[in-house]
Amino acid sequence: MINCLGLYPLISAPSTIACTTHIVRSKQYLATQKPVNLALGYRNPHGYGFSFGSRRSIHERVSSHFKGIAVMTDDKSTMSSTEEDLENIGIFHIDPSLKPYKDHFKYRLKRYVDQKKLIEEYEGGLEEFSQGYLKFGFNREEGGIVYCEWAPAAQEAQIIGDFNGWDGSNHQMEKNQFGVWSIRIPDTDGNSAIPHNSRVKFRFRHGDGVWVDRIPAWIKYATVDPTRFAAPYDGVYWDPPLSERYQFKYPRPPKPKAPRIYEAHVGMSSFEPRINSYREFADEILPRIRANNYNTVQLMAVMEHSYYASFGYHVTNFFAVSSRSGTPEDLKYLIDKAHSLGLQVLMDVIHSHASNNVTDGLNGFDVGQTSQDSYFHTGDRGYHKLWDSRLFNYANWEVLRFLLSNLRWWLEEFKFDGFRFDGVTSMLYHHHGINIAFTGDYNEYFSEATDVDAVVYLMLANCLIHSILPDATVIAEDVSGMPGLGQPVSDGGIGFDYRLAMAIPDKWIDYLKNKNDYAWSMKEISWSLTNRRYTEKCVSYAESHDQAIVGDKTVAFLLMDEEMYSGMSSLVDASPIVERGIALQKMIHFITMALGGEGYLNFMGNEFGHPEWIDFPREGNGWSYEKCRRQWNLVDTDHLRYKFMNAFDRAMNLLDDKFSFLASTKQIVSSADDDDKVIVFERGDLIFVFNFHPENTYEGYKVGCDLPGKYRVALDSDAWEFGGRGRVGHDVDHFTSPEGIPGVPETNFNNRPNSFKVLSPARTCVAYYRVEESQEDDDNNSLVGVEETSAAADVAKIPDESASTESEDIKLDGVKETLAAADVAKIPDESAPLESEDSNLDVVKEPLAAANAEVTKISGELVSVETEGINLDKLEETIVAASVESEVVRDKPEDAAN
């Protein structure tokens, strides 16, 4: 168990703070993301101290399922930590500029400590408190079903459904002193009185005598009648027999050193204009994700939402799997399949607000009672005017139980590996970030505008998540850049593992829309990518779903526009627009990944430059699914140039697999030259050279580096395999020369003690690795093969050009990486047991069959050039080995793990 109470100092250096932006979501429309000009840095704050003002939380007696409990949220509550502990908060050692706000940190940490102590005293601890789903909602007990619901303002309550003909007169519920209604429904003739998969609702009478029907708050499944237009959702009692319950077969994969995240929406993942299913996504899309070397999948729109066009952000049923794509068992199949492929699965969790819907949402339990008797605040504080949604009262005991239990439910029942918390900015501040331009002034973060109730909830949430699953990955979507958001709770932080670097995509949109290529500033680009707080990790991304919602465009579409309809055939020469577009699309994504954070995120389809925008079915487009899908045919069609962008995306991820540069703390920008339009930097053990100049190719361009020795190409965006011109030699050794006086950085070249010279073509990025003296030439050449991963089986084939490259440059590198395609896919995890009955080794056979087909194809092509002097001995040995391994897996499935 992780101790989230200890206060341990951590000595570290000061930092910069990451910029972020925000997207406004409305039930009526989805607004495009608005760039916010931020200059968030490590600057001297204006003004000192923190005033609590006149707003105080109420010392309120609230409900508990079994006990009464006073939630003490005022500043006079007793402390379980000494004043000495609070004076020595670790975050002040990390960022000394936060010391003027010590009172604020002491106050919120005190609130957190007290709240956690009360939970331990009255509920047995945070972990037991977070198992509310074992008490609330429907739960099987010996001989019957117990149903409990918190509705303190209700005057009478019943349970109704198919099982009693929707007549609750014989199923009246009883209310305890804490506002919890309950009923025990005994079995009938040994069978459950409420059949599995039958509809149920909670009926109650509020103060004015009106009876209303609501979906139970803790319902685990909810469906809608597809034959009725605008039909309300019904709660569904989900308790399948053991024979129908999905049993997980694979363990969670190890937590990666750095997350390479594929953000996906299951519903819109089909090629066809329809809603895709969990099982189709698992069988058809997950292999694509793994083949492109991602290690993490982030699923959107999992929690039930009655309005599809909300993109899943207007949640109506927090414990229910979105029924559009299948059942809870189907989602479990998806997650287990992902784990079998070595992919972790994160859930996009929405605890910042709830749908405003009444008949099918949590909002339906708010019938005019006070905030203390409701899930939400009352009045303006309980309503988000831009999102048209309700806002939680995070100081309420039962709200804490509900939300914390919700997190545990998804972790334990469905085996999610972590979360991406949506809308964190709205939670952190009373103003919710509306019409606020955050400048980096620390007063913007630590004042009366801060919602300490929400901060305490997030601290509890992160403590709980990491206590249940120490290797969990938890990411915050925060527009403001609040200091400490990504610091451990034990150091006075809020406890997230990563924050999204939300300013980066806005910077690219600004450049692509408002600046010609000659006006691009290398200094501004490198600053935007590196401007983040020290010790607080970021997940960078060049674009996500936000950049392509209703009318806006993907990066590729901004670059190429209508030419994406007519100019993407590789059977003819590329137009200048297409050539520029593909080159910059690769560069923008690669420099964002390499320099922008400690993790990387890509939204489904952007890896191959998906055109157009995302538009969910709605009244305004005639309820069309035409733009609510992914056109996989574009990347699967061999003569279209989309395959080049997809191949480069795969190679970027494989580069990190080999060199782990994302996880490295070494990041040095040695040159950002606005005249040359070149950025040179070191990340981990690699040297990166990005030439953004539209025309200039630099021969013998001097590049600074740390260690002396011999350098070679690790990845080259201009390679033929990626739709380039093949101008950079991959078999060239670059030897370093010493620079300046040893130990005197100011005498060095760009503050680097060594340098080497390279060819840097226009609009090209190249990564170089240092060759260790002990490495064999073949080993060195195999590192070059990152670019040849474009052969990843059936997902994206090697471009035709690779077979006809100049004979002197082939050297079998592409062949080696083609044969490694099965390793790229890594299907399934060798350490996991194979599915005994239903898998039939399909997961294993498909990639191996595809790899064998690719081997046959390439070996045939290479025979035709054998007279050019290429040695096929190595190829033949690899082909034989691959065939043997394939037959072993096919003939002896029980030995596949060996």
Side-chain angles (χ1 to χ4, degrees):
M1 166 147 347
I2 292 178
N3 179 5
C4 301
L5 293 175
L7 305 173
Y8 306 112
L10 176 62
I11 308 298
S12 193
S15 64
T16 56
I17 196 168
C19 311
T20 47
T21 56
H22 190 53
I23 180 169
V24 174
R25 299 185 181 92
S26 167
K27 184 172 178 179
Q28 303 304 322
Y29 68 96
L30 295 178
T32 56
Q33 193 164 13
K34 302 296 190 298
V36 180
N37 293 323
L38 305 180
L40 305 187
Y42 197 100
R43 59 182 61 194
N44 291 327
H46 305 293
Y48 298 91
F50 174 76
S51 171
F52 300 125
S54 58
R55 193 185 74 82
R56 291 164 62 110
S57 300
I58 299 173
H59 186 101
E60 177 69 26
R61 185 175 182 84
V62 297
S63 66
S64 170
H65 187 45
F66 296 113
K67 310 174 183 73
I69 174 64
V71 179
M72 293 178 283
T73 58
D74 66 310
D75 57 321
K76 293 182 179 179
S77 55
T78 57
M79 289 299 301
S80 59
S81 293
T82 66
E83 287 297 322
E84 289 77 13
D85 289 332
L86 294 178
E87 291 295 328
N88 200 27
I89 299 174
I91 199 170
F92 300 142
H93 299 278
I94 299 168
D95 185 351
S97 290
L98 292 173
K99 287 185 178 179
Y101 303 92
K102 181 180 290 187
D103 286 345
H104 171 89
F105 280 93
K106 288 171 61 178
Y107 174 68
R108 78 182 193 188
L109 194 55
K110 169 179 178 292
R111 288 275 309 277
Y112 163 78
V113 168
D114 282 345
Q115 187 70 68
K116 194 164 185 294
K117 180 182 178 182
L118 288 169
I119 291 172
E120 290 169 353
E121 183 178 353
Y122 290 95
E123 296 281 355
L126 193 59
E127 294 194 22
E128 185 173 338
F129 183 58
S130 63
Q131 291 180 308
Y133 48 82
L134 299 179
K135 303 175 183 177
F136 288 83
F138 295 90
N139 285 285
R140 285 288 307 173
E141 289 188 0
E142 184 69 27
I145 299 171
V146 174
Y147 170 58
C148 294
E149 198 76 70
W150 179 65
Q155 304 301 305
E156 292 183 67
Q158 305 170 348
I159 178 66
I160 58 173
D162 293 329
F163 76 100
N164 62 10
W166 300 92
D167 180 0
S169 58
N170 292 326
H171 292 90
Q172 297 281 348
M173 302 179 69
E174 296 182 356
K175 180 182 180 181
N176 69 13
Q177 59 180 319
F178 310 117
V180 176
W181 296 86
S182 62
I183 185 174
R184 188 179 188 280
I185 306 170
D187 294 341
T188 303
D189 298 329
N191 297 316
S192 173
I194 306 178
H196 161 62
N197 209 18
S198 63
R199 297 176 299 166
V200 290
K201 281 196 173 182
F202 176 59
R203 173 173 289 174
F204 66 96
R205 180 176 62 84
H206 50 81
D208 59 6
V210 176
W211 286 84
V212 294
D213 297 347
R214 300 288 183 257
I215 294 179
W218 299 71
I219 199 70
K220 297 178 177 67
Y221 195 48
T223 59
V224 66
D225 184 349
T227 64
R228 294 171 53 202
F229 180 75
Y233 272 68
D234 287 305
V236 172
Y237 176 67
W238 192 259
D239 185 26
L242 286 175
S243 60
E244 297 179 17
R245 294 181 185 177
Y246 185 83
Q247 302 296 324
F248 286 93
K249 303 176 179 65
Y250 299 95
R252 301 179 193 267
K255 183 175 182 177
K257 294 179 181 178
R260 299 189 300 272
I261 303 170
Y262 194 89
E263 183 184 32
H265 185 289
V266 171
M268 61 173 286
S269 65
S270 174
F271 161 71
E272 300 172 348
R274 60 176 176 84
I275 297 176
N276 212 17
S277 73
Y278 297 121
R279 288 184 177 266
E280 288 172 312
F281 182 91
D283 294 338
E284 299 168 10
I285 309 304
L286 284 178
R288 291 180 180 270
I289 298 171
R290 191 63 192 92
N292 268 44
N293 295 306
Y294 289 92
N295 56 34
T296 305
V297 180
Q298 180 178 299
L299 295 182
M300 305 173 62
V302 172
M303 305 159 90
E304 187 60 85
H305 49 291
S306 64
Y307 185 55
Y308 191 44
S310 74
F311 225 149
Y313 290 111
H314 279 232
V315 176
T316 45
N317 313 107
F318 285 77
F319 287 82
V321 166
S322 179
S323 58
R324 292 180 182 86
S325 294
T327 69
E329 312 312 307
D330 295 333
L331 177 60
K332 292 175 183 178
Y333 172 83
L334 184 163
I335 295 171
D336 202 30
K337 183 72 170 284
H339 287 168
S340 78
L341 301 178
L343 293 165
Q344 289 209 320
V345 187
L346 308 182
M347 176 178 164
D348 200 351
V349 68
I350 295 85
H351 282 183
S352 50
H353 63 132
S355 170
N356 202 29
N357 289 17
V358 172
T359 58
D360 51 15
L362 197 61
N363 189 30
F365 287 80
D366 183 1
V367 288
Q369 62 264 43
T370 65
S371 289
Q372 285 70 39
D373 292 335
S374 171
Y375 287 99
F376 309 108
H377 286 291
T378 58
D380 291 342
R381 192 180 176 192
Y383 178 73
H384 198 296
K385 61 183 180 182
L386 291 186
W387 293 352
D388 184 30
S389 56
R390 296 304 306 275
L391 299 173
F392 287 104
N393 174 11
Y394 300 105
N396 192 298
W397 190 268
E398 292 303 328
V399 171
L400 290 178
R401 187 199 306 275
F402 183 83
L403 295 178
L404 292 172
S405 297
N406 189 236
L407 297 173
R408 185 172 191 137
W409 169 253
W410 295 111
L411 286 175
E412 297 202 332
E413 182 70 15
F414 292 90
K415 308 299 183 186
F416 277 100
D417 301 294
F419 301 100
R420 178 262 202 186
F421 274 71
D422 176 73
V424 169
T425 304
S426 178
M427 301 172 70
L428 293 176
Y429 309 99
H430 295 298
H431 52 63
H432 310 300
I434 299 174
N435 298 324
I436 300 296
F438 292 96
T439 67
D441 180 349
Y442 279 8
N443 283 313
E444 295 166 352
Y445 308 117
F446 312 117
S447 69
E448 290 181 338
T450 306
D451 190 337
V452 179
D453 293 339
V455 170
V456 170
Y457 163 67
L458 291 173
M459 294 168 74
L460 290 168
N462 280 305
C463 179
L464 173 72
I465 293 167
H466 290 102
S467 179
I468 296 172
L469 186 62
D471 284 342
T473 299
V474 192
I475 305 168
E477 186 216 34
D478 170 41
V479 59
S480 70
M482 174 179 273
L485 188 70
Q487 288 291 345
V489 172
S490 57
D491 287 328
I494 297 179
F496 286 98
D497 299 303
Y498 297 86
R499 69 167 90 228
L500 284 177
M502 298 178 68
I504 294 175
D506 286 320
K507 178 58 66 177
W508 291 124
I509 288 176
D510 176 45
Y511 268 47
L512 293 174
K513 287 184 174 181
N514 304 316
K515 295 180 184 291
N516 67 56
D517 294 4
Y518 294 95
W520 286 25
S521 168
M522 302 300 101
K523 289 182 173 62
E524 188 175 55
I525 290 173
S526 60
W527 167 251
S528 298
L529 291 169
T530 58
N531 183 23
R532 55 187 184 270
R533 290 184 64 81
Y534 178 69
T535 74
E536 296 193 39
K537 296 179 181 179
C538 286
V539 172
S540 66
Y541 59 108
E543 54 182 333
S544 76
H545 62 268
D546 293 350
Q547 279 67 50
I549 293 178
V550 188
D552 214 329
K553 302 175 181 179
T554 62
V555 164
F557 207 28
L558 283 170
L559 287 164
M560 294 176 275
D561 212 277
E562 62 184 15
E563 292 253 356
M564 298 195 80
Y565 300 115
S566 58
M568 296 298 284
S569 174
S570 59
L571 301 178
V572 297
D573 291 339
S575 69
I577 290 176
V578 169
E579 189 171 36
R580 169 185 178 266
I582 292 178
L584 286 179
Q585 202 264 2
K586 292 182 291 186
M587 294 182 72
I588 286 171
H589 283 79
F590 191 29
I591 196 171
T592 298
M593 178 192 198
L595 199 56
E598 291 72 30
Y600 177 70
L601 179 143
N602 169 75
F603 178 68
M604 179 175 62
N606 289 344
E607 70 274 14
F608 62 85
H610 199 287
E612 298 184 330
W613 52 85
I614 299 168
D615 194 3
F616 274 71
R618 55 189 173 87
E619 187 175 4
N621 65 12
W623 305 102
S624 170
Y625 288 86
E626 184 60 32
K627 289 183 173 57
C628 190
R629 62 190 181 108
R630 296 287 87 177
Q631 299 184 58
W632 304 109
N633 60 307
L634 297 177
V635 69
D636 291 343
T637 302
D638 193 60
H639 70 269
L640 295 182
R641 288 188 164 88
Y642 294 95
K643 65 183 179 182
F644 296 136
M645 293 177 278
N646 189 69
F648 189 73
D649 178 81
R650 181 183 304 113
M652 285 165 37
N653 288 321
L654 185 57
L655 186 71
D656 183 59
D657 245 359
K658 291 189 173 185
F659 292 98
S660 299
F661 60 87
L662 274 175
S664 175
T665 57
K666 180 183 179 181
Q667 180 178 103
I668 301 168
V669 177
S670 60
S671 177
D673 194 311
D674 284 336
D675 294 327
D676 293 345
K677 302 295 181 196
V678 175
I679 300 174
V680 179
F681 63 92
E682 297 167 51
R683 186 73 191 272
D685 295 329
L686 299 177
I687 313 294
F688 296 83
V689 181
F690 282 77
N691 181 357
F692 282 96
H693 201 286
E695 300 173 349
N696 291 354
T697 291
Y698 304 107
E699 193 164 351
Y701 195 83
K702 195 173 182 179
V703 173
C705 65
D706 185 11
L707 300 176
K710 180 171 65 176
Y711 288 81
R712 284 185 179 175
V713 171
L715 179 59
D716 165 26
S717 69
D718 194 50
W720 290 106
E721 292 81 4
F722 308 133
R725 300 182 185 180
R727 291 168 287 185
V728 178
H730 295 182
D731 57 351
V732 177
D733 291 332
H734 303 273
F735 292 93
T736 61
S737 299
E739 295 288 343
I741 303 172
V744 186
E746 57 269 22
T747 66
N748 295 341
F749 175 72
N750 290 335
N751 289 319
R752 310 312 291 144
N754 295 282
S755 70
F756 59 93
K757 294 182 178 181
V758 301
L759 172 67
S760 181
R763 292 193 180 120
T764 294
C765 51
V766 182
Y768 297 88
Y769 71 98
R770 180 173 175 269
V771 180
E772 298 291 341
E773 293 182 2
S774 60
Q775 286 181 289
E776 298 289 338
D777 284 347
D778 283 344
D779 293 334
N780 297 337
N781 288 335
S782 70
L783 291 172
V784 180
V786 174
E787 64 221 34
E788 281 83 44
T789 59
S790 51
D794 57 335
V795 179
K797 302 177 179 63
I798 285 186
D800 292 340
E801 292 88 334
S802 64
S804 60
T805 356
E806 297 85 9
S807 58
E808 63 268 24
D809 289 332
I810 295 179
K811 296 188 183 298
L812 290 182
D813 294 323
V815 180
K816 293 175 183 176
E817 287 301 320
T818 301
L819 294 169
D823 179 63
V824 169
K826 292 180 182 173
I827 304 174
D829 186 347
E830 293 84 347
S831 64
L834 291 174
E835 297 178 82
S836 57
E837 297 176 358
D838 55 358
S839 72
N840 293 323
L841 292 180
D842 292 338
V843 174
V844 180
K845 290 179 180 178
E846 292 172 6
L848 285 174
N852 287 338
E854 201 63 51
V855 167
T856 303
K857 171 186 172 185
I858 292 176
S859 63
E861 291 170 347
L862 285 171
V863 168
S864 66
V865 294
E866 187 172 8
T867 57
E868 302 283 339
I870 298 177
N871 186 347
L872 290 179
D873 294 340
K874 200 83 171 178
L875 169 65
E876 292 170 353
E877 293 171 8
T878 313
I879 292 173
V880 171
S883 300
V884 170
E885 181 178 351
S886 173
E887 293 303 317
V888 167
V889 174
R890 289 194 180 105
D891 297 339
K892 300 181 69 178
E894 67 275 12
D895 294 335
N898 298 323

